[in-house]
C-alpha cells in the first residue's frame, strides 16, 4: 500500500510533491549528478513551467514526475500517492489513470492512424469499452475530426502534436506533463498547441507541467520553476 501524503497547509494532497530529489548517472567509475536535492510542491489545477538552460536537468525531472524514470534518492508523490518505490506494474497502471505525457518529438506509432494512436491508451484502462467513440471525440475537440484515418506521415508537425495532445488527454488524467511541446513547431502551430493547453486547463482541475526554453510558453504558466545545474533556483516565480 502507498498511503496518501497530505499537504500540510490545506490538508488535501498536492498534485505533485517532490522532496529532496536526486538523480545521478554512472560514467565509468564515477557518478554524474543530474538533479541535486530538488524539492517543490504543486497544487491541483496549477499550470507550471519548468525552465533552465540546456543540461540543467529539466527533462530528467519531468521524466521522473511522469513515472518514466526512477530517482536516485528523495520522494515523488502524485495526488498523495508515493510513486518512488512503486512496482513497475503499479506504476504503469497509475500512469494510465493519472498522467498524460506530451513529447517534443510526438512519439506517435507510425503504423497506426490518428484515431488508433489516440485509442491505444484506452485499451489498458477503465475506458476500453468506449475507446473508439472517446478517441474520436477527443480528436474532434483538437480540430482533427477530418484526419481520423491518416497515419502520422500524412500529417503536418502541428497536426501530429495535436494527435499527441489528444492521446495524452483522452484518459482524463489529473496531471499532464509536456517536454518542449512546441520545440519542433513553427510559431503558428506552437501557439495553437498552447491554446489547446489553455482550453483544457480552463475546463477542469487539470494540473499542467511544461518543460520549456521558450519565454512565450513559460509566460502562459501561472508559476515557473527554474533549474540551474540540477538545483531549483529560489524563489520560484509567478508568471
Amino acid at each position: 500500500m502507498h498511503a496518501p501524503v497530505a499537504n500540510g497547509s490545506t490538508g488535501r494532497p498536492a498534485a505533485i510533491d517532490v522532496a529532496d530529489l536526486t538523480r545521478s548517472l554512472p560514467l565509468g567509475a564515477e557518478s554524474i549528478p543530474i538533479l541535486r536535492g530538488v524539492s517543490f510542491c504543486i497544487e491541483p489545477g496549477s499550470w507550471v513551467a519548468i525552465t533552465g538552460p540546456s543540461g540543467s536537468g529539466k527533462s530528467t525531472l519531468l521524466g521522473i514526475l511522469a513515472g518514466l524514470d526512477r530517482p536516485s534518492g528523495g520522494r515523488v508523490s502524485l495526488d498523495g500517492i508515493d510513486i518512488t518505490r512503486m512496482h513497475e506494474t503499479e506504476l504503469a497502471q497509475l500512469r494510465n489513470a493519472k498522467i498524460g505525457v506530451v513529447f517534443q518529438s510526438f512519439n506517435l506509432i507510425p503504423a497506426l492512424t490518428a484515431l488508433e494512436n489516440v485509442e491505444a491508451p484506452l485499451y489498458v484502462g477503465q475506458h476500453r469499452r468506449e475507446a473508439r467513440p472517446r478517441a474520436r471525440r477527443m480528436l474532434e475537440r483538437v480540430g482533427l475530426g477530418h484526419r481520423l484515418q491518416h497515419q502520422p506521415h500524412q500529417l503536418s508537425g502541428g497536426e501530429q502534436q495535436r494527435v499527441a495532445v489528444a492521446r495524452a488527454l483522452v484518459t482524463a488524467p489529473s496531471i499532464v506533463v509536456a517536454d518542449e511541446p512546441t520545440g519542433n513547431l513553427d510559431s503558428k502551430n506552437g501557439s495553437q498547441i498552447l491554446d489547446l493547453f489553455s482550453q483544457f486547463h480552463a475546463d477542469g482541475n487539470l494540473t499542467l507541467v511544461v518543460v520549456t526554453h521558450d519565454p512565450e510558453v513559460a509566460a502562459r504558466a501561472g508559476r515557473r520553476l527554474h533549474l540551474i545545474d540540477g538545483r531549483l533556483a529560489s524563489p520560484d516565480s509567478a508568471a
Side-chain angles (χ1 to χ4, degrees), residues 11-81:
R12 62 180 295 193
I16 301 173
D17 188 8
V18 175
D20 199 25
L21 198 69
T22 62
R23 182 71 169 97
S24 299
L25 296 176
L27 182 63
E30 299 182 0
S31 181
I32 306 300
I34 308 298
L35 296 173
R36 309 167 186 249
V38 174
S39 298
F40 58 86
C41 185
I42 296 176
E43 296 301 321
S46 301
W47 182 342
V48 177
I50 299 177
T51 61
S54 296
S56 60
K58 304 186 301 298
S59 293
T60 298
L61 174 59
L62 200 75
I64 293 173
L65 298 184
L68 300 173
D69 192 12
R70 299 276 189 175
S72 301
R75 188 195 76 239
V76 177
S77 296
L78 304 180
D79 286 342
I81 301 170

Side-chain angles (χ1 to χ4, degrees), residues 168-219:
L169 289 161
V170 74
T171 59
S174 58
I175 299 167
V176 168
V177 298
D179 191 1
E180 299 282 6
T182 64
N184 285 348
L185 305 178
D186 60 28
S187 58
K188 178 182 177 180
N189 282 301
S191 291
Q192 289 176 346
I193 294 301
L194 294 178
D195 290 343
L196 283 176
F197 282 152
S198 294
Q199 175 187 335
F200 284 104
H201 181 255
D203 282 352
N205 204 32
L206 178 68
T207 302
L208 182 59
V209 183
V210 180
V211 158
T212 185
H213 67 277
D214 186 334
E216 180 184 349
V217 177

